[in-house]
Amino acid sequence: MRPRKAVFLDLFGLAGAVAASLVIGIIVIFCVSSEPLAAMNAFFVEPLTNAFNFGSILNRMVPLVFTGLAIAVVFQSGVFSMGAEGQLYIGALTGAVAAVYMKGLSAWMHIPLVLVCAILGGGLFAFLPGILKARFKADEIVSTLMFNYIGIFFVSYLLNNVIKDANSGGFARTPYVQDSARLHQIVQGFPTLYSFVFALAAAAVVYILLFKTRTGYELRLVGKNPLFAEYGGIHIRKAIVLSMVISGALAGLGGAMEVIGQQGALNDHFSTGLGFDGIIISLLARNHPIGILVSAFFYAYLTVGGQNMQAGSDVPRDLAVIIQSLLVLFVSSQALFAYLNSRKAVRKGGAEVAS
Amino acid sequence: AGCGSNKSGQSGSSQTDIGGSEAPLSVGLYINGNLGDQGFFDSANAGVQRMDKEFGAKIKVVEGGSNQTDWAVGLESMVSSGKYDIVIAGTSQMSDITINLAKRYPNQKFIFFDVAIEGLPNVYSVIYDQKEGSFLAGAFAALVTKSTELKGSNPDKTIGFIGGMDIPIINEFRSGYEQGAQYIDRDIKVISSFVGSFSDAPKGKELGLAQFKQQKVDVIFAAAGAGGLGMFEAAKELGTYAIGCNVNQNEVQPGTVLTSMLKNVSDSLFRAVDRYKKGELQFGVSEQLGFAEGGVGLAKDDLYSKNVPQTIRDQVEEIQKKLESGEITLK
Amino acid sequence: MSDLLEMRNIHKVYSNGTRANRGVSFSVRHGEIHALVGENGAGKSTLMKILFGLETPSEGEIFYKGEKIEMRTPKDAIRYEIGMVHQHFMLVPSFTVAQNIVLGSEPRKGALSDHKAALLETDRLIREYGLKVDSSATVARLSVGLKQRVEILKVLYRGARLIILDEPTAVLTPQETDELFHSLRKLVDTGYTIIFITHKLNEVMSISDRITVLRAGQTVTTLNTAKTNKEEISRLMVGREVLLRVQKTPARAKETVLRINGLSDEDSYSGQPVLRNVSLEVKSGEILGIAGVEGNGQTELIEAITGFGKGYRGSILFQDKPLAGESIRAIRAMGIGHIPEDRQTRGACLTASVKENLILDQYREKAFGRIWFLNERQIRRHARELIERFDIRTESEDTPAGSLSGGNIQKIVVARELHKKPKLLIAAQPTRGVDIGSIEFIHKEIVRARDEGAAVLLVSAELTEIMSLSDRIGVLYNGELTALLNNTDDLTEEEIGYYMLGVKKDERKAVAT
Amino acid sequence: MWEQIVNLSFFAVLLRLLPPILLGALGGLLTDRGGVINIGIEGLMLVSAFTSISVGSASGSWVAGVLAGMLASVLVSLLMAFFTLQMKVDVIVAGFAVNIFGGAATVLLMSILYHSHGQYMPADPVRIPNVVIPFIEDIPVLGQLLSGHNVMVWLSFLAVLFCYVLLNHTPYGFHLRAVGEEPSAARSLGIDVQRIQYSALIWGGVFSGLAGAYLSTGMTSMFVREMTAGTGFLALAVVIFGNKNPVGILFGSLLFALAQTLVNTVETTPDNKVPSQLIAMIPYIVTVAVLSVYAVRKASTRRRKAAAV
Ligand SMILES: Nc1ncnc2c1ncn2[C@@H]1O[C@H](COP(=O)(O)OP(=O)(O)OP(=O)(O)O)[C@@H](O)[C@H]1O
Ligand SMILES: Nc1ncnc2c1ncn2[C@@H]1O[C@H](COP(=O)(O)OP(=O)(O)OP(=O)(O)O)[C@@H](O)[C@H]1O
Ligand SMILES: [Mg+2]
Ligand SMILES: [Mg+2]
């Protein structure tokens, strides 16, 4: 009874925050646009009403869900990794190698193999900073930030010097992935790819992992109070490394999904900041896997809406981006939540005081 | 090359409507990156803006940003909106996306730059002989470093190249440049450095300073976006020389930027749309634009005439002719 | 005597809906020591935080020196010469004693802070009030007793005349408490007024002039200390009769469960010996109490047994199996329960729910799930059972443990550790900061565990607790077991006190085992 | 390369590369010590870089430019402070939002004011000058060591000293550290925690502002979109790497600048065959290596201490 009420209050707060942020967005658009209605329509309405746009939002969610989940796992475990970006690249690399160079497999074999490779790649790449932190207390913020650069440059090096497709033209990419590894549209005529299904599944798996399994209990306790976890006999170092590896695997999967889904090949510098977006996504969802679906949708919606507004009105791209950042701020405003919730709470408490 | 002057190239239903002045031509440009790159995109944008100015085309430029995840969607939403008579896109990263869309939207006309797309009845593509252009820039640089007339030249036979990123397209510039320099003098040494991004002007400047000061380079060719702007500043401070890239950058630091290797996306797009408007543009083919068509070349403006000694200019003309005639062939 | 302070009809509703105060009225006279008592969660701290400007009341008025005043921030309180020593330390660990004391009103030299003046000033205070502490020591390395002194010095430095002490003795040794009381009396003699919160009725009786009892956020009454007794106070607090003395039958000790031989260890920082050749045995069915002034090796002894401490010398045998080198998990799995001294950090996870707190170290058991998955229903049922049996006052098993009162958090720890029916129970300070009702309950449960055959090693700084619970008593002094005595009726607190202070050393201790 | 080290030009390059990262990190330091992690350094630097070159060239005074840049960066910091402290937005989210905002707002303003999306190069730019010390300038080694460096180089060294004094020798510094370490303790002593945190973010704005101004008006004289190229994140890493104290940060920044100087040197070496992507990794590998060595050593001294006794 009590938890349901809490959820209700949260939804109430969320609705309020979204409403407030929409108002801000609308005000800004009115200030700058000479065709505000068209701009707003393109930003807020069309992404939801136009099937193509809506399907694209779902596709756009995919890497965000994976990097968001990656961050959620480490943050829940009290590890402050900022390394999803680099792990995304390495997972995309190992996934792409499997997807491009393994031939003659059926899709049922090939796709799982690609995913396994991506998991191994991303996971191993995260293992390093994980072990540095667990064994030697090397700060993970520093190490993961550095590993991001190392990962991205390493992939770029291989792409330009070792695994470049001869036909890639001015920008290096691998050869296209085998058709047996490619994720196609779920329904013809609607752009959403099967990778979206994988994203949903990943969120469910991470939810179960974190909240329904022993491992999840261990990870979360280590995150909440390592002294308590240690006292309960939980191996803290193992938990830290494990959370890093799971996180890396998830980020790596996100990279591979891009390769065998949206993009069809591993492109040089294919992501600019998907890993960092994951941090925002996860924090917006308070590191909750199911919440991440919501916040990733919100973020993708803003991205697609922003593009659409730029294409469909006189609002320039940079302004769309500014509006996007303001919306993120408002939606994550705890004070707005707390204010709305506390009014309820105080009204409730206050009534009893009076009685 | 097949510059379609034959009227038989007229095809497609929309073209007949355009002759009338009532509906202005609507052109959309999709940029898979951001404006302000000092390269393709700015140049393409300039071309499109000129369409607006010169024949009142209704134009729309959409910046896709640097996340590649967004590009396919961005271009498709322009196409699927059905608002544009012509959609323009470019770069090798977009070619497959565009081919795919062109097949799915056979009624949409595309103009594509920088990669040859052939055999699709609704795509016209244009490519540029940038390697030849860079060859000429390399030859020019070699002449500059050997020059005794230019104050900033030193006796060392060393010239520089600064690239934005170590990627194929930039290495094509570099390769042409090196070949051009070697053509003038086998002993010329080319120092190549990469900034690592197209926006890091301070690092471009540092690399410039290092090449000029430590390696006795006296002229650098930069294909590095804003990194090049940083390098120009270094050259200016030291009294050495620079060669611009993509667009005419001679005026950025007059007297320092002696010339620029042009890659005329702007003119080529304007020219194509202009011909489309007149019903002359032939789809389904690709054109390569070289010196003759103004697709590539060195920026020979007043500053060039003023700052570059006659002897060098003469030699450049000669080499350009040889390139045009095929007397010089590149690897 | 006129009222120095009056708080009228104070209400406080926290933003989460908790009503901590519901119409409290409270007044303090000039120059008195006024004790504020009540169960955990009765609203004592909340009331004092309101007085100190840390919380704003939802309703109510405060009169000070006859004038109505508004308390918005602690700054106001400091201006009115009100000072507060908080229940939990409010110290900056990386600062020195002097820096902590002057923080917020530093002596200056131009724009810079004047370290020298701060030191001098601190030393002057230390001399003047006889609260000895090294003014240039880093606070993180001080013992709790010394930290408490720093807190009081902070208040004095700001020139407070009305001093609020929120459970200052919870972490103090009896000696430290005596010293504190001595200082407090001196302060009152020189015109200070003191509000004093405690759960220890002995202290209330010995130091206060008047007593106000709070229950469930309301004032029950205010009493004159001279005209009341402990039984009455506890009845008023809890609302029923409380047994102030544990009732237990004589121990029926059986086989030896824990055997420690020649245990020695050193502090990892300073290299000073902390345990010197300690040997003892605990048998099933008995409670061995370890008395001693805190910091004499108790913590290290427990850490060594429970697997936190590594690298000790000597042997620890549990049911004849050496524990050295075993992981904490393995040690717990053998059947050793552990009520840690620090419930806020180690004993409980304040941000986790009650039910999650209750399955720690047992979540791998079959009862709570198969293979890799946790069985939500079982966990919930288990939590409800324990909540019921141990009378844990919580809204639900999903409530975060941190929003329970201190006594109830302690009950969670006790419930969890006793539920698994340990063969050996290590109980460290099991009732620190807990109200008398809960103390009674926890004591009963520990005795019950003993009677069901557990061996209990009880460590407490509370001599009364040791005396009333233990069957045998050991005393640690300076890392050495200086006495090991049977708890017979003729054993007095004084005698143990001598051992605790190292005045006396028992040469028969080997015999007594 | 050895030649460059001997003739001290290496040293000059090092000092040119030092200020952005050092100043950025000091900004991060002061916010961090106040208990607020500042992810937004990158965005603040961009805002200041744009403002300072813009105002500087319009007014013809580099001082005005730098001050304006700082002011702009402080204003954005205040925005961030408002959202984190008042609206209780997660500080990391707010930091990222500031980065996104800074990147977009500068380009938007540039396109409005100068009709350019990519770069702004004023016709007659102002520059933060170099300090040439008379007499010393002519002494062989000493001259190169001390003379001819940019004002901002000296300013950033002064900033280290300033931060050191501020944190360790002023009442404000103690308040700041107390707020960062034990906010409830600070509050109970009448220190206005929120106000201190506001001020901490303002300091972040001031130093990030200086760093940004140097990029556009010192190192170069232009603004280019995204010209910070990740410096803000490096600064964040340096804050932690430097143990959250000014002197540690000075060394951390020196290490980074040294690695970058090394990159430039290798990049411009004739006949260099190492792929540039691998060269570019140098600073990051060096950092991870130093971090690991440092951590391993610390861990083993911990162990040795425990074992020795
Ligand atoms: N900041 C807070 N937010 C919400 N509820 C609170 C807060 N602080 C205290 N409470 C609740 O208010 C009630 C009264 O708490 P208070 O701290 O005043 O009790 P107390 O009498 O001091 O107890 P104890 O003896 O354990 O110290 C408790 O139910 C507690 O859970
Ligand atoms: N923000 C909060 N929300 C809910 N409950 C709170 C909050 N802060 C404190 N409490 C609870 O209020 C009660 C009183 O808090 P306080 O800080 O006075 O100490 P305490 O935990 O009661 O101390 P003790 O252990 O001595 O009883 C505690 O039980 C604490 O858990
Ligand atoms: Mg020369
Ligand atoms: Mg209390």
Side-chain angles (χ1 to χ4, degrees), chain B residues 214-236:
Chain B
Q214 260 67 57
Q215 306 299 341
K216 309 275 192 312
V217 166
D218 41 21
V219 56
I220 299 179
F221 173 44
L229 301 178
M231 182 272 284
F232 294 169
E233 217 174 82
K236 178 159 187 229

Side-chain angles (χ1 to χ4, degrees), chain C residues 44-46 87 166-167 197:
Chain C
K44 306 179 294 289
S45 297
T46 302
Q87 182 166 4
D166 193 350
E167 291 192 43
I197 300 179

Side-chain angles (χ1 to χ4, degrees), chain B residues 2 8 48 52 84 155 276-277 283 328:
Chain B
S8 64
V48 173
D52 174 24
Y84 306 101
Y276 172 81
K277 202 168 168 298
F283 283 87
I328 300 176

